[in-house]
Amino acid sequence: MSVEIRALQPTRSQLRKFARFGIDLYEGNPYYVPALIHDDVNTLSPKVNPAFDFCEAQCFMAYRDGKPVGRIAGIINNAVNGRTGQKTLRFGFVDFIDDTEVVDALFDACAAWGKERGMDSMLGPMGFNDMDHEGMLVEGFVQLGTMATIYNHPYYPRHMERMGFTPEAEWVEMAIKIPDSIPDKYARVAEIVKTRNNLKVLKFTSRKKIKEQYGVALFELINEAYDQLYGYSPLTPRQIDYYIDMYLGILNLDFVTVVVDSEDRLVAVGISIQSFSKALQKARGRLLPTGWWHLLQTLRGKSDIVDLLLIAVKPEYQNKGVNALLFTDLIPHYIKAGFKHAETNPELAGNDKVRGQWDYFDTRLHKRRRSFRRRRWVPGSPPRPGPPGRPRGPPPPGGEAGVGGG
């Protein structure tokens, strides 16, 4: 049967079908971690997601004999294109069966939509911004995914190469064993950094207080620290308010550490969260009827993994060991909570300054993922093979800005 491509309307009903496809495709896969359908629908809804203030998007689904067999979202981030001078169509939320006709039809439809709007290259998988999932998995297919990253079948990158896409950026994720105590040398570094720079560590027990005192400042710091990272889309005030409301309620404040200077100005933040991967697998994208219960059990401490969501350090304090201050505070909380290991969010593979912060710990490379670009792609044209070798990408950004997001 031939493949039918349907361009979806951004209604909640159609977006739910789009979000549901990935969960159905990975039915029974022990490594795939589904997002909550409600969250994906909100991300893709122009009425909810403030990224649509400067982005355009179109979702497509592929059908064969009336059965869904693939999905893809085309995204145009006008803010990033304006910063880079490029005309890039992002693709994201992409899933498909292992079928050449299906894959080609999906990407052709998405590319045609972008070309109609003046785009001349295609890049992904990427979201609207760094708060969305990005980077196609190329190593680590038998490792449990996280709530903040993409899982995909091993055949996905093979189709990208077949269609003439070439790797552009590469990220790695590290698994870190939680030590029994803070390494002595690490503790000494933290004390020196604290004294030399007149810094102090803050902890919060009230979500209301952290929101009022530092809620907006935290995301402004992320904007400042991540600004030069690959593909970064600065968060607008409306987006900042949106993400404060989205994330603050689920954070265990024991796993959030803030560093300020002598005048209480924000210098660094480390945000981590107990792994919700197992709970999300059991919820299968839904809070009802029992998904909420599985998530609640994780909130109450039923996990032995902590996800390092992000670290952001003010540029003038980067490369000065401020990360040691964050983790000398966080590690005792990890030990008390019974975590056995931590998992980083994706880190740019070439950013040795970020990866060097783990030198004091027992770490191993856990996963690897890449973005792929195809330049001046005319739908239906034969693919042109890209150059061999390692993926191309921008020079490694300086500083300790991103455990997550770059």
Side-chain angles (χ1 to χ4, degrees), residues 26-49:
Y26 289 95
E27 177 73 31
N29 186 298
Y31 311 111
Y32 171 74
V33 176
L36 291 175
I37 293 172
H38 175 269
D39 290 346
D40 275 358
V41 169
N42 284 346
T43 298
L44 293 164
S45 173
K47 294 181 179 180
V48 178
N49 188 351

mmCIF file of all heavy atoms in Angstrom, residues 26-49:
data_model
loop_
_atom_site.group_PDB
_atom_site.id
_atom_site.type_symbol
_atom_site.label_atom_id
_atom_site.label_comp_id
_atom_site.label_asym_id
_atom_site.label_seq_id
_atom_site.Cartn_x
_atom_site.Cartn_y
_atom_site.Cartn_z
ATOM 1 N N TYR A 26 7.007 2.122 20.388
ATOM 2 C CA TYR A 26 7.996 1.516 21.288
ATOM 3 C C TYR A 26 7.362 0.607 22.335
ATOM 4 O O TYR A 26 7.985 0.316 23.361
ATOM 5 C CB TYR A 26 8.819 2.623 21.966
ATOM 6 C CG TYR A 26 9.758 3.307 21.011
ATOM 7 C CD1 TYR A 26 9.377 4.477 20.372
ATOM 8 C CD2 TYR A 26 11.003 2.765 20.722
ATOM 9 C CE1 TYR A 26 10.225 5.098 19.474
ATOM 10 C CE2 TYR A 26 11.856 3.379 19.832
ATOM 11 C CZ TYR A 26 11.465 4.547 19.207
ATOM 12 O OH TYR A 26 12.304 5.154 18.306
ATOM 13 N N GLU A 27 6.159 0.171 22.081
ATOM 14 C CA GLU A 27 5.476 -0.741 22.999
ATOM 15 C C GLU A 27 6.378 -1.930 23.334
ATOM 16 O O GLU A 27 6.879 -2.635 22.451
ATOM 17 C CB GLU A 27 4.179 -1.244 22.362
ATOM 18 C CG GLU A 27 3.425 -2.262 23.189
ATOM 19 C CD GLU A 27 2.745 -1.641 24.387
ATOM 20 O OE1 GLU A 27 2.344 -0.458 24.286
ATOM 21 O OE2 GLU A 27 2.615 -2.335 25.420
ATOM 22 N N GLY A 28 6.632 -2.138 24.631
ATOM 23 C CA GLY A 28 7.433 -3.259 25.078
ATOM 24 C C GLY A 28 8.932 -3.021 25.073
ATOM 25 O O GLY A 28 9.684 -3.885 25.534
ATOM 26 N N ASN A 29 9.393 -1.872 24.564
ATOM 27 C CA ASN A 29 10.826 -1.584 24.564
ATOM 28 C C ASN A 29 11.256 -1.189 25.977
ATOM 29 O O ASN A 29 10.705 -0.243 26.551
ATOM 30 C CB ASN A 29 11.138 -0.451 23.582
ATOM 31 C CG ASN A 29 12.625 -0.199 23.416
ATOM 32 O OD1 ASN A 29 13.310 0.158 24.362
ATOM 33 N ND2 ASN A 29 13.121 -0.372 22.201
ATOM 34 N N PRO A 30 12.241 -1.885 26.581
ATOM 35 C CA PRO A 30 12.589 -1.621 27.977
ATOM 36 C C PRO A 30 13.432 -0.362 28.191
ATOM 37 O O PRO A 30 13.679 0.004 29.335
ATOM 38 C CB PRO A 30 13.386 -2.863 28.380
ATOM 39 C CG PRO A 30 13.996 -3.335 27.105
ATOM 40 C CD PRO A 30 12.992 -3.036 26.030
ATOM 41 N N TYR A 31 13.848 0.311 27.108
ATOM 42 C CA TYR A 31 14.747 1.462 27.240
ATOM 43 C C TYR A 31 14.060 2.790 26.911
ATOM 44 O O TYR A 31 14.538 3.847 27.313
ATOM 45 C CB TYR A 31 15.962 1.282 26.321
ATOM 46 C CG TYR A 31 16.601 -0.073 26.466
ATOM 47 C CD1 TYR A 31 16.545 -1.019 25.445
ATOM 48 C CD2 TYR A 31 17.232 -0.438 27.656
ATOM 49 C CE1 TYR A 31 17.109 -2.274 25.598
ATOM 50 C CE2 TYR A 31 17.795 -1.697 27.814
ATOM 51 C CZ TYR A 31 17.733 -2.611 26.781
ATOM 52 O OH TYR A 31 18.291 -3.852 26.932
ATOM 53 N N TYR A 32 12.958 2.724 26.203
ATOM 54 C CA TYR A 32 12.236 3.930 25.795
ATOM 55 C C TYR A 32 11.478 4.519 26.982
ATOM 56 O O TYR A 32 10.805 3.803 27.722
ATOM 57 C CB TYR A 32 11.253 3.584 24.674
ATOM 58 C CG TYR A 32 10.294 4.692 24.303
ATOM 59 C CD1 TYR A 32 10.724 5.788 23.576
ATOM 60 C CD2 TYR A 32 8.956 4.625 24.682
ATOM 61 C CE1 TYR A 32 9.833 6.796 23.221
ATOM 62 C CE2 TYR A 32 8.066 5.624 24.339
ATOM 63 C CZ TYR A 32 8.508 6.711 23.600
ATOM 64 O OH TYR A 32 7.630 7.701 23.265
ATOM 65 N N VAL A 33 11.595 5.850 27.160
ATOM 66 C CA VAL A 33 10.893 6.551 28.232
ATOM 67 C C VAL A 33 9.928 7.557 27.591
ATOM 68 O O VAL A 33 10.364 8.545 26.992
ATOM 69 C CB VAL A 33 11.872 7.289 29.165
ATOM 70 C CG1 VAL A 33 11.117 8.108 30.220
ATOM 71 C CG2 VAL A 33 12.808 6.286 29.839
ATOM 72 N N PRO A 34 8.626 7.311 27.670
ATOM 73 C CA PRO A 34 7.673 8.212 27.027
ATOM 74 C C PRO A 34 7.489 9.500 27.809
ATOM 75 O O PRO A 34 7.557 9.520 29.042
ATOM 76 C CB PRO A 34 6.374 7.402 27.023
ATOM 77 C CG PRO A 34 6.497 6.502 28.211
ATOM 78 C CD PRO A 34 7.962 6.168 28.321
ATOM 79 N N ALA A 35 7.289 10.580 27.084
ATOM 80 C CA ALA A 35 6.859 11.823 27.717
ATOM 81 C C ALA A 35 5.381 11.706 28.071
ATOM 82 O O ALA A 35 4.669 10.828 27.566
ATOM 83 C CB ALA A 35 7.087 12.997 26.773
ATOM 84 N N LEU A 36 4.906 12.572 28.936
ATOM 85 C CA LEU A 36 3.470 12.652 29.170
ATOM 86 C C LEU A 36 2.813 13.263 27.940
ATOM 87 O O LEU A 36 3.277 14.289 27.417
ATOM 88 C CB LEU A 36 3.171 13.494 30.407
ATOM 89 C CG LEU A 36 3.574 12.887 31.755
ATOM 90 C CD1 LEU A 36 3.339 13.891 32.873
ATOM 91 C CD2 LEU A 36 2.817 11.593 32.032
ATOM 92 N N ILE A 37 1.764 12.632 27.456
ATOM 93 C CA ILE A 37 1.078 13.120 26.262
ATOM 94 C C ILE A 37 0.643 14.567 26.452
ATOM 95 O O ILE A 37 0.779 15.403 25.543
ATOM 96 C CB ILE A 37 -0.132 12.215 25.947
ATOM 97 C CG1 ILE A 37 0.360 10.825 25.526
ATOM 98 C CG2 ILE A 37 -1.002 12.826 24.856
ATOM 99 C CD1 ILE A 37 -0.755 9.805 25.369
ATOM 100 N N HIS A 38 0.161 14.885 27.633
ATOM 101 C CA HIS A 38 -0.284 16.244 27.932
ATOM 102 C C HIS A 38 0.839 17.245 27.712
ATOM 103 O O HIS A 38 0.625 18.337 27.150
ATOM 104 C CB HIS A 38 -0.783 16.296 29.380
ATOM 105 C CG HIS A 38 -1.164 17.659 29.859
ATOM 106 N ND1 HIS A 38 -0.259 18.503 30.493
ATOM 107 C CD2 HIS A 38 -2.336 18.335 29.809
ATOM 108 C CE1 HIS A 38 -0.870 19.635 30.799
ATOM 109 N NE2 HIS A 38 -2.126 19.556 30.401
ATOM 110 N N ASP A 39 2.056 16.903 28.127
ATOM 111 C CA ASP A 39 3.188 17.823 27.974
ATOM 112 C C ASP A 39 3.553 18.015 26.511
ATOM 113 O O ASP A 39 3.837 19.144 26.066
ATOM 114 C CB ASP A 39 4.401 17.301 28.752
ATOM 115 C CG ASP A 39 4.220 17.397 30.257
ATOM 116 O OD1 ASP A 39 3.285 18.092 30.702
ATOM 117 O OD2 ASP A 39 5.006 16.763 30.991
ATOM 118 N N ASP A 40 3.584 16.930 25.729
ATOM 119 C CA ASP A 40 3.914 17.061 24.310
ATOM 120 C C ASP A 40 2.851 17.865 23.571
ATOM 121 O O ASP A 40 3.174 18.679 22.693
ATOM 122 C CB ASP A 40 4.058 15.672 23.670
ATOM 123 C CG ASP A 40 5.453 15.097 23.846
ATOM 124 O OD1 ASP A 40 6.314 15.786 24.436
ATOM 125 O OD2 ASP A 40 5.687 13.960 23.401
ATOM 126 N N VAL A 41 1.589 17.640 23.902
ATOM 127 C CA VAL A 41 0.514 18.401 23.264
ATOM 128 C C VAL A 41 0.678 19.892 23.568
ATOM 129 O O VAL A 41 0.548 20.735 22.670
ATOM 130 C CB VAL A 41 -0.864 17.888 23.720
ATOM 131 C CG1 VAL A 41 -1.978 18.843 23.289
ATOM 132 C CG2 VAL A 41 -1.123 16.499 23.150
ATOM 133 N N ASN A 42 0.990 20.237 24.808
ATOM 134 C CA ASN A 42 1.189 21.642 25.154
ATOM 135 C C ASN A 42 2.377 22.238 24.411
ATOM 136 O O ASN A 42 2.330 23.387 23.950
ATOM 137 C CB ASN A 42 1.388 21.794 26.659
ATOM 138 C CG ASN A 42 0.091 21.678 27.439
ATOM 139 O OD1 ASN A 42 -0.991 21.738 26.866
ATOM 140 N ND2 ASN A 42 0.195 21.503 28.742
ATOM 141 N N THR A 43 3.463 21.458 24.283
ATOM 142 C CA THR A 43 4.638 21.960 23.569
ATOM 143 C C THR A 43 4.307 22.265 22.118
ATOM 144 O O THR A 43 4.806 23.246 21.549
ATOM 145 C CB THR A 43 5.772 20.918 23.634
ATOM 146 O OG1 THR A 43 6.146 20.721 24.996
ATOM 147 C CG2 THR A 43 6.993 21.382 22.847
ATOM 148 N N LEU A 44 3.456 21.470 21.502
ATOM 149 C CA LEU A 44 3.140 21.612 20.083
ATOM 150 C C LEU A 44 1.931 22.497 19.822
ATOM 151 O O LEU A 44 1.560 22.712 18.662
ATOM 152 C CB LEU A 44 2.901 20.227 19.478
ATOM 153 C CG LEU A 44 4.140 19.326 19.422
ATOM 154 C CD1 LEU A 44 3.737 17.869 19.187
ATOM 155 C CD2 LEU A 44 5.101 19.797 18.334
ATOM 156 N N SER A 45 1.336 23.037 20.875
ATOM 157 C CA SER A 45 0.124 23.842 20.729
ATOM 158 C C SER A 45 0.452 25.332 20.686
ATOM 159 O O SER A 45 0.996 25.879 21.653
ATOM 160 C CB SER A 45 -0.835 23.569 21.889
ATOM 161 O OG SER A 45 -1.929 24.465 21.839
ATOM 162 N N PRO A 46 0.107 26.027 19.599
ATOM 163 C CA PRO A 46 0.344 27.475 19.540
ATOM 164 C C PRO A 46 -0.405 28.250 20.611
ATOM 165 O O PRO A 46 0.010 29.358 20.970
ATOM 166 C CB PRO A 46 -0.157 27.850 18.138
ATOM 167 C CG PRO A 46 -0.126 26.574 17.355
ATOM 168 C CD PRO A 46 -0.451 25.497 18.347
ATOM 169 N N LYS A 47 -1.474 27.679 21.133
ATOM 170 C CA LYS A 47 -2.244 28.375 22.158
ATOM 171 C C LYS A 47 -1.588 28.293 23.534
ATOM 172 O O LYS A 47 -1.960 29.051 24.434
ATOM 173 C CB LYS A 47 -3.655 27.784 22.240
ATOM 174 C CG LYS A 47 -4.501 28.017 20.993
ATOM 175 C CD LYS A 47 -5.890 27.424 21.163
ATOM 176 C CE LYS A 47 -6.748 27.671 19.939
ATOM 177 N NZ LYS A 47 -8.122 27.091 20.086
ATOM 178 N N VAL A 48 -0.626 27.378 23.706
ATOM 179 C CA VAL A 48 -0.033 27.153 25.020
ATOM 180 C C VAL A 48 1.445 27.536 25.056
ATOM 181 O O VAL A 48 1.886 28.227 25.976
ATOM 182 C CB VAL A 48 -0.194 25.675 25.443
ATOM 183 C CG1 VAL A 48 0.459 25.420 26.805
ATOM 184 C CG2 VAL A 48 -1.670 25.291 25.475
ATOM 185 N N ASN A 49 2.221 27.098 24.079
ATOM 186 C CA ASN A 49 3.666 27.262 24.113
ATOM 187 C C ASN A 49 4.072 28.653 23.624
ATOM 188 O O ASN A 49 3.857 28.994 22.452
ATOM 189 C CB ASN A 49 4.321 26.194 23.230
ATOM 190 C CG ASN A 49 5.832 26.162 23.357
ATOM 191 O OD1 ASN A 49 6.435 27.040 23.979
ATOM 192 N ND2 ASN A 49 6.455 25.168 22.757
#
